[in-house]
Amino acid sequence: MADSPKFPPFMDPDQFAKMLEGSAAAAADPMKAYRAAMDAWGTILAPLAKAGRSKVDPSDRRFAAPEWEHPVFDLMRQGYQVMSDYMLGAADQLDGVADSDKAKMGFAVRSMIEAMSPANSPFTNPVAIERAMETNGASLMAGMQNLMTDVQRGQLTHTDSAAFKLGENIAATPGKVVHQTPLYQLIQYDPATPDVLATPLIIFPPWINRFYILDLTAEKSFIKYCVDQGITVFVVSWKSADSSMKDIIWDDYIAAQIDAIDTVRDGLGVPDVHAIGYCVAGTTLAATLAVLAATGGADKVRSATFFTAQVDFSTGGELLNFIDDNQIAMVETLSAPHGYLDGRFLALTFNMLRGKDLIWSTVVKNYLLGEDYPAFDLLHWNGDVTNLPAKWHKAYLADLYRDNRLVVPDSLSALGTPIDLRRVQTPSYIQAGREDHIAPAESVWKLQDHFSGPVKFLLAGSGHIAGVVNPPAQNKYQYWTNEGIAGSLAEFIDGATETKGSWWPDWRVWLLDKGDAKVPATGARIPGEGTLKALESAPGSYVKAR
């Protein structure tokens, strides 16, 4: 009798018969039927999956769960990886396309690929399938409820909205609002030491977010750290734009920074202040210093610190993909009905820069798996969006990002004064994040090329937020310094010294080097006890306005 023909596993009729037989026998138990079918298909497809295993990226957390090791789903992720590599490579190799257009196309392709991941579908995500079967569909029902809630609010939810309350367990450093304008509130914090640094510190956070990124939980609060170090701290809390702010322009924010500086100087009876500008508020602080230098007011600011701030946008990173004439026209259209841009649009833009982490991981965890939202202070802040004045935002995108006019002497003016950054001689501390995708380190590096005063550049580990909010107690990440002369960021890194942990103590030493005289923490150093009267308790009402 002739031997039976030999078939490879993926063509073997016996394997198909066993698969059908097993499935029929287990029909009364859906879980058993599903697993029997997967086992049968796994036997058939295992050789194919094993042959292509080298295509799997072990660092891709979307496919890290052990359920993806099953041959059926292993082949899905392999096929997805091959398709992703091909599409991204094709976009990168386009001929006759300007680099800027190629970058935009690459970003669009990457965003589309991220959306097409098999991990994002309840029918092709093995973890979601297992969870649904184990819970008799309850996980999908919970996920659908999460989805409907987000559709109604028009925004992705990343964290438990009830876990944090302003003034209680977040933005809770004690202080008072001591000054208020239609654009901002000025908060002064209670001293925590018997004596304080004679020169006070005023912090300008970005108005595209809430100020309490620098005052999260007590363990992470940069503001509390400064207070505990014996510094008199003021912070500006910007008002989220409404229809009354439709005519607000950049001049108004520069005027507000000067007003805040003068208010602190007059209120404490001091000649100057230390100033910090974060992100767009740092960009504005650079312009403010140029205006002060041109109008005889440079001595009002003893030192300036810049957190992830750009003035030269020629290497502005992936945000440039959102800024051209068509995009600016769309922003204008979205803003037209009310005179301000809804903060949810801006939040979506920033989320798209890290789509895998801030969009699709949320889809998987909260929609497909039906998981509860975590209590995470940083994600709570990230979802606490602010609106932007339409006229300012359009001009900012066009003049700075698109046309890069801030670094062209006298191309822009504010408050009737041409802006020339070369006039700035204020000692400056420039901090950049090595993995920053919003203000790339290479772009932040360029800030020092336009100032005339002494500059210290520091490169922090992590990105736009974690690179800044890195308290010493957590001992996370690292930072790099270089006391030599470096002509580029690459040269700086090549000769840099790496230090483990937070860079905050390094900044404190630099600040004290600008003057370490102290005064008793009495009188005007206590919020409300001087000429600046307490209007309400921190964190104030502007930060709570929606």
Side-chain angles (χ1 to χ4, degrees), residues 172-509:
T173 302
K176 302 290 184 185
V177 174
V178 295
H179 180 63
Q180 178 174 313
T181 75
L183 190 55
Y184 76 94
Q185 288 186 323
L186 183 66
I187 301 171
Q188 180 182 359
Y189 290 93
D190 297 347
T193 55
D195 298 309
V196 292
L197 202 63
T199 304
L201 170 68
I202 181 168
I203 301 173
F204 298 108
W207 49 87
I208 59 177
N209 301 107
R210 306 288 179 174
F211 83 86
Y212 64 87
I213 182 58
L214 297 175
D215 192 26
L216 294 172
T217 55
E219 297 79 12
K220 297 179 182 177
S221 173
F222 177 78
I223 290 173
K224 184 178 185 300
Y225 170 82
C226 292
V227 171
D228 289 345
Q229 299 303 311
I231 301 173
T232 300
V233 179
F234 292 80
V235 70
V236 164
S237 174
W238 302 103
K239 183 180 181 181
S240 179
D242 56 27
S243 56
S244 70
M245 298 170 62
K246 62 183 178 66
D247 293 322
I248 291 292
I249 58 177
W250 202 29
D251 297 48
D252 297 298
Y253 285 100
I254 292 172
Q257 289 192 343
I258 295 174
D259 177 66
I261 290 168
D262 287 339
T263 298
V264 172
R265 289 172 58 248
D266 294 342
L268 297 190
V270 295
D272 52 26
V273 302
H274 297 295
I276 292 177
Y278 193 166
C279 189
V280 63
T283 305
T284 305
L285 179 59
T288 296
L289 294 176
V291 170
L292 288 174
T295 56
D299 291 342
K300 293 180 179 181
V301 180
R302 177 171 295 200
S303 78
T305 298
F306 298 88
F307 293 168
T308 64
Q310 305 171 88
V311 296
D312 186 336
F313 291 82
S314 59
T315 53
E318 290 187 331
L319 276 177
L320 292 173
N321 295 321
F322 294 89
I323 299 162
D324 56 24
D325 292 342
N326 292 330
Q327 298 284 357
I328 292 173
M330 183 181 70
V331 168
E332 189 173 19
T333 300
L334 292 172
S335 308
H338 307 291
Y340 63 85
L341 179 67
D342 191 317
R344 291 173 295 182
F345 292 111
L346 194 65
L348 177 60
T349 298
F350 285 120
N351 286 343
M352 287 178 67
L353 295 179
R354 293 179 56 198
K356 285 195 292 187
D357 295 327
L358 294 178
I359 296 178
W360 298 114
S361 67
T362 295
V363 168
V364 172
K365 291 178 182 177
N366 303 120
Y367 299 167
L368 304 190
L369 302 181
E371 294 181 357
D372 292 334
Y373 292 102
F376 189 6
D377 54 356
L378 185 57
L379 288 179
H380 176 87
W381 166 84
N382 188 62
D384 193 358
V385 300
T386 57
N387 305 324
L388 301 180
K391 188 174 292 187
W392 167 82
H393 190 54
K394 178 185 176 183
Y396 179 75
L397 295 180
D399 291 342
L400 276 67
Y401 264 98
R402 187 191 66 189
D403 300 335
N404 202 23
R405 294 176 60 191
L406 183 56
V407 293
V408 179
D410 300 336
S411 176
L412 295 175
S413 63
L415 308 178
T417 302
I419 296 174
D420 185 349
L421 297 180
R422 297 174 303 179
R423 294 192 178 102
V424 177
Q425 298 183 18
T426 307
S428 299
Y429 187 103
I430 300 172
Q431 177 269 340
R434 188 162 189 171
E435 301 169 20
D436 196 332
H437 60 287
I438 295 174
E442 182 181 355
S443 184
V444 175
W445 166 269
K446 293 176 180 293
L447 196 157
Q448 61 191 317
D449 295 337
H450 302 282
F451 288 170
S452 299
V455 170
K456 176 173 182 177
F457 180 86
L458 178 139
L459 184 63
S462 198
H464 197 69
I465 302 301
V468 173
V469 185
N470 182 20
Q474 292 190 343
N475 196 31
K476 292 180 65 176
Y477 308 121
Q478 66 283 100
Y479 64 91
W480 293 266
T481 55
N482 187 339
E483 301 303 325
I485 298 175
S488 66
L489 178 63
E491 289 183 14
F492 172 91
I493 294 173
D494 286 343
T497 299
E498 179 179 342
T499 303
K500 300 295 184 182
S502 172
W503 56 269
W504 294 3
D506 181 88
W507 168 80
R508 175 180 174 273
V509 171

Side-chain angles (χ1 to χ4, degrees), residues 31 122 125-148 362-373:
M31 178 72 80
N125 185 321
V127 182
I129 293 172
E130 289 279 353
R131 181 72 57 84
M133 298 187 73
E134 290 170 357
T135 62
N136 292 320
S139 60
L140 290 178
M141 291 297 294
M144 182 60 67
Q145 182 60 54
N146 290 338
L147 172 62
M148 294 305 298
T362 295
V363 168
V364 172
K365 291 178 182 177
N366 303 120
Y367 299 167
L368 304 190
L369 302 181
E371 294 181 357
D372 292 334
Y373 292 102

